[in-house]
């Protein structure tokens, strides 16, 4: 089967690899129908996330069950299935607390280990999914692949940022970054009826999409977002700021836009340390929450998508056959043609 493989010297290639087959309990063999390119795939390609060359990459995928091990209860051949970006065991202390993103034996597709097995990536024709009953989710008939694929990664993460920020009715919220994660955070925040929702980015097409999701947009290349937000909120600041970029500048702007006692909820991943002004932050009483997205919210999110209460179909801007994966990466890496989410069809 064909798969996107990490090669030495920060290169990717479409290569022929063996098709996996079921060899243990709890497994389903998924024929991938749609897989997406994520910013993390570029971090892997460029060596910022260290992965061994020779690994198949990709962690966002949906597909159809081709075969299920006899003990699998929830899936049978022909079922459409959404698989989360990382898997969890359900029984370790983190899982028992409901924090499945910190599962002690969990792993992410294309690099991690799960149940003692190295998990290959999902930009491939087939993926063998262990622990399917625990982590995977059936896709309702009225939910497209393009919508379902977001549930298992960027939507789960955006929603997590909103929940961790404690957004409630009447709150003021600022979302820094209108990439897939930030846009999903904006749509998720709207579920909780904030009074005002600001969205900050530097790219006009992404700001336009944020506006279509009901946000008041701020172009950070034109104004200082924190000063602008203070001016819009009687110099008080927002209740919740969400950081979905992963840069020192947006981290500081997020803090600078908060009211006293407000919460900065961070899901952006940082490549460098950031200095904290603790003397002032302590007096302002701000709370900072950060971490990986909890994909245990998937079932709830799939239900919201299926019932038309969350619609993020506008995020998918481009679709390529898997055979043109290199062209798709070229477009995504250089943000050509206003791309946001790029799908690959094996
Ligand atoms: P992305 O790169 O598509 O989005 C980042 C956005 O930030 C872009 O739209 C960019 O234009 C904008 N931006 C850049 N500079 C800015 C500035 N100065 N002010 C405002 N906006 C600015 O990435 P994404 O896929 O949306 O992911 C966002 C972040 O979330 C990344 O750091 C990613 O690694 C992280 N992430 C975290 C998790 C998790 O579990 N915590 C999961 C997925 C992604
Ligand atoms: Zn991803
Ligand atoms: Zn666990």
């Amino acid at each position: 089967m064909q798969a996107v493989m990490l090669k030495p010297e920060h290169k990717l290639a479409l290569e022929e690899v063996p098709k996996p087959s079921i060899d243990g309990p709890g497994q389903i063999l998924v024929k991938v129908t749609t897989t997406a390119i994520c910013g993390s795939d570029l971090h892997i390609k460029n060596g910022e996330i260290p992965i061994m060359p020779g690994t198949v990459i990709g962690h966002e995928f949906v597909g159809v069950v081709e075969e299920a091990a006899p003990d699998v209860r929830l899936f049978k051949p022909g079922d459409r299935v959404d698989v989360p970006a990382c898997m969890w065991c359900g029984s370790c202390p983190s899982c028992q607390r409901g924090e499945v993103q910190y599962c002690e034996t969990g792993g992410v597709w294309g690099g991690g280990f799960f149940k003692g097995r190295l998990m290959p990536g999902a930009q491939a024709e087939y993926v063998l999914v262990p622990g399917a009953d625990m982590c995977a989710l059936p896709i309702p008939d009225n939910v497209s692949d393009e919508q379902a694929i977001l549930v298992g990664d960027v939507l789960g993460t955006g929603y997590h940022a909103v929940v961790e920020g404690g957004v409630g009715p009447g709150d003021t919220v600022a979302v820094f970054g209108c990439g897939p994660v930030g846009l999903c955070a904006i749509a998720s925040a709207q579920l909780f009826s904030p009074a005002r929702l600001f969205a900050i980015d530097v790219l006009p097409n992404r700001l336009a999409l944020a506006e279509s999701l009901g946000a008041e947009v701020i172009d950070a290349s034109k104004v200082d977002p924190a000063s602008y937000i203070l001016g819009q909120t009687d110099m008080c600041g927002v209740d919740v700021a969400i950081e979905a970029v992963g840069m020192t500048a947006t981290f500081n702007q997020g803090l600078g836009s908060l009211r006293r006692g407000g919460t900065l909820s961070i899901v952006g991943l940082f490549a460098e340390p950031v200095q904290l002004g603790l003397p002032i932050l302590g007096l302002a009483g701000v709370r900072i929450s950060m971490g990986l997205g909890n994909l245990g919210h998937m079932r709830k999110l799939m239900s919201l998508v299926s019932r038309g209460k969350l619609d993020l179909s506008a995020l998918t801007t481009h679709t390529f056959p898997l055979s043109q994966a290199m062209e798709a990466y070229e477009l995504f890496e250089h943000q050509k043609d206003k791309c946001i989410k790029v799908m690959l069809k094996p």
Side-chain angles (χ1 to χ4, degrees):
M1 65 168 188
Q2 295 223 294
V4 177
M5 187 181 282
L6 179 67
K7 305 296 285 181
E9 296 171 4
H10 311 319
K11 292 199 169 61
L12 298 175
L14 196 62
E15 296 226 337
E16 199 62 28
V17 299
K19 179 182 168 183
S21 52
I22 289 190
D23 60 5
Q27 300 173 345
I28 56 174
L29 180 63
V30 175
K31 182 173 179 12
V32 177
T33 51
T34 306
T35 169
I37 303 180
C38 175
S40 316
D41 299 326
L42 292 182
H43 292 312
I44 291 171
K45 172 181 174 287
N46 296 329
E48 293 139 17
I49 299 176
I51 301 270
M52 284 283 286
T55 305
V56 173
I57 67 164
H59 55 272
E60 301 181 8
F61 70 110
V62 297
V64 173
V65 177
E66 183 161 285
E67 201 187 333
D71 64 326
V72 171
R73 287 182 303 113
L74 302 180
F75 298 97
K76 60 181 188 319
D79 288 349
R80 292 174 70 221
V81 58
D82 190 0
V83 183
C86 59
M87 303 291 281
W88 54 88
C89 76
S91 57
C92 73
S94 295
C95 284
Q96 288 194 338
R97 276 197 303 273
E99 295 174 346
V100 298
Q101 70 274 40
Y102 302 123
C103 174
E104 289 170 14
T105 61
V108 65
W109 296 102
F113 280 90
F114 181 61
K115 294 182 182 272
R117 172 187 288 270
L118 184 61
M119 293 163 65
Q123 286 166 10
E125 291 178 73
Y126 290 88
V127 179
L128 183 66
V129 178
D133 281 342
M134 174 65 67
C135 308
L137 203 63
I139 303 175
D141 287 344
N142 71 342
V143 176
S144 67
D145 276 14
E146 285 70 14
Q147 287 198 302
I149 207 168
L150 305 176
V151 171
D153 191 21
V154 291
L155 180 54
T157 302
Y159 182 83
H160 170 86
V162 169
V163 170
E164 294 301 303
V167 176
D171 279 351
T172 45
V173 181
V175 177
F176 289 80
C178 301
V181 172
L183 290 166
C184 287
I186 291 166
S188 300
Q190 295 290 29
L191 297 168
F192 296 89
S193 300
R196 293 187 78 176
L197 174 51
F198 299 98
I200 301 97
D201 206 289
V202 292
L203 298 176
N205 64 310
R206 295 189 175 204
L207 288 170
L209 208 45
E211 195 164 29
S212 76
L213 294 170
E216 300 175 46
V217 299
I218 305 169
D219 186 339
S221 68
K222 299 200 171 125
V223 295
D224 171 54
S227 311
Y228 181 86
I229 288 168
L230 289 177
Q232 289 287 311
T233 53
D234 299 326
M235 300 313 280
C236 177
V238 290
D239 299 297
V240 183
I242 291 172
E243 207 288 347
V245 186
M247 284 171 43
T248 303
T250 42
F251 173 85
N252 285 326
Q253 289 160 4
L255 278 178
S257 68
L258 276 183
R259 68 161 166 81
R260 290 182 180 212
T263 301
L264 177 64
S265 175
I266 304 171
V267 281
L269 296 177
F270 290 73
E272 289 169 357
V274 174
Q275 267 196 332
L276 279 179
L278 290 182
I280 292 177
L281 292 179
L283 292 177
V286 299
R287 281 176 288 191
I288 298 179
S289 141
M290 65 190 305
L292 299 174
N294 184 340
L295 299 178
H297 294 302
M298 272 177 77
R299 186 172 293 276
K300 190 186 286 185
L301 292 169
M302 188 68 88
S303 171
L304 287 163
V305 171
S306 174
R307 287 168 191 283
K309 296 188 175 174
L310 262 180
D311 182 6
L312 290 153
S313 38
L315 263 66
T316 298
T317 52
H318 294 76
T319 303
F320 288 81
L322 182 65
S323 59
Q324 289 178 18
M326 296 308 110
E327 288 90 329
Y329 266 96
E330 166 70 15
L331 176 117
F332 186 76
E333 179 155 23
H334 299 104
Q335 295 200 346
K336 290 182 184 164
D337 200 22
K338 299 179 177 172
C339 70
I340 297 182
K341 217 56 196 153
V342 177
M343 302 287 163
L344 299 172
K345 299 275 184 181

